[in-house]
Amino acid sequence: MLSHGTIWHAIDTLAERHQLSPSGLARRAGLDPTSFNKSKRRSADGRERWPSTESIAKVLEATGATMDQFTSLLQPDEGPSSLEPAAAATIPLIGFAQAGAGGFFDDGGFPAGQGWDVIDFPTDAEKRSGTYALGVQGDSMLPLYRDGDILIVDPGAPVRRGDRVVVKTREGEVMAKVLTRQTPRMIELLSLNPEHPNRSFETSQIEWIARIIWASQ
């Protein structure tokens, strides 16, 4: 059955077979590098965005794949059998120190690459595609978050003033803060630990910002 999920799965699988990220596949196909980012697969109000037939045609041309090969990658959405318990959902997990290294995220701040661990997804949080977990390390987020706490991050969720967020700068610094102000030119962040300074950045200095939706406190 053709669905939003199955066609994006086929594109992701084709990218992996050619050792490309979704962004790399888009570039090779002559498209905007962000065309296939997971952040672009839903609109701000949650509506599904589908790749165009022109985009798929360019991907096939760039990779040399046939339409039959592409359609063979379409996996049907099948719910769990009523006779079997559903398997626990898992999400990728890394520590804050690792998150600052390259290769773990795509251009939109969604998990990519290798080296992730996995954990069971908490049932009292809302899971969407691209959700991942960060393990707190050190005391820079006390008293709100302690060393060893797990933060669940949704890079596709809208970010508003007052939200607890994870921010990655273009220099590779990753931090959890409270968003106090965001303009087209500036982002202002409140530190969770009063012993650490608040931070301000020009928008051009920020690689991505994502909302924290759950914490294992």
Side-chain angles (χ1 to χ4, degrees):
M1 177 181 176
L2 186 64
S3 70
H4 179 263
T6 60
I7 199 162
W8 281 115
H9 170 83
I11 289 173
D12 289 340
T13 303
L14 194 58
E16 290 172 6
R17 289 187 178 182
H18 289 267
Q19 299 182 326
L20 295 168
S21 66
S23 298
L25 179 61
R27 280 193 209 89
R28 179 179 289 190
L31 302 169
D32 184 297
T34 66
S35 297
F36 297 155
N37 283 4
K38 293 182 179 179
S39 58
K40 295 291 187 72
R41 300 181 186 184
R42 289 185 182 273
S43 62
D45 59 5
R47 288 181 296 174
E48 296 175 344
R49 283 178 172 164
W50 293 61
S52 68
T53 52
E54 181 183 8
S55 296
I56 294 173
K58 288 184 176 181
V59 164
L60 297 181
E61 182 180 359
T63 59
T66 66
M67 180 56 75
D68 285 344
Q69 290 171 329
F70 182 77
T71 55
S72 72
L73 302 177
L74 299 173
Q75 294 188 355
D77 291 330
E78 296 180 354
S81 167
S82 60
L83 300 178
E84 299 177 1
T90 60
I91 56 174
L93 164 72
I94 59 171
F96 265 85
Q98 290 174 287
F104 285 100
F105 301 94
D106 67 14
D107 296 341
F110 286 81
Q114 305 297 318
W116 296 82
D117 291 326
V118 295
I119 61 169
D120 289 342
F121 186 77
T123 57
D124 53 344
E126 180 184 357
K127 184 177 185 299
R128 298 198 304 180
S129 176
T131 302
Y132 61 90
L134 290 173
V136 175
Q137 297 166 314
D139 62 358
S140 65
M141 298 175 225
L142 288 172
L144 192 58
Y145 301 132
R146 303 179 301 275
D147 184 75
D149 282 348
I150 300 295
L151 307 183
I152 306 298
V153 179
D154 181 357
V159 176
R160 303 179 181 87
R161 181 178 178 181
D163 284 343
R164 296 171 187 174
V165 296
V166 174
V167 176
K168 183 177 181 182
T169 69
R170 296 196 180 279
E171 294 183 351
E173 185 179 4
V174 179
M175 65 198 84
K177 305 284 185 184
V178 176
L179 179 65
T180 56
R181 186 167 179 252
Q182 184 174 19
T183 72
R185 297 182 60 184
M186 294 290 298
I187 289 178
E188 296 180 3
L189 304 166
L190 174 69
S191 288
L192 301 170
N193 186 334
E195 296 184 3
H196 288 254
N198 299 332
R199 305 289 296 275
S200 295
F201 296 95
E202 293 182 5
T203 303
S204 60
Q205 295 176 284
I206 300 298
E207 185 168 331
W208 50 257
I209 179 169
R211 182 152 62 94
I212 299 170
I213 61 171
W214 188 88
S216 65
Q217 297 167 292

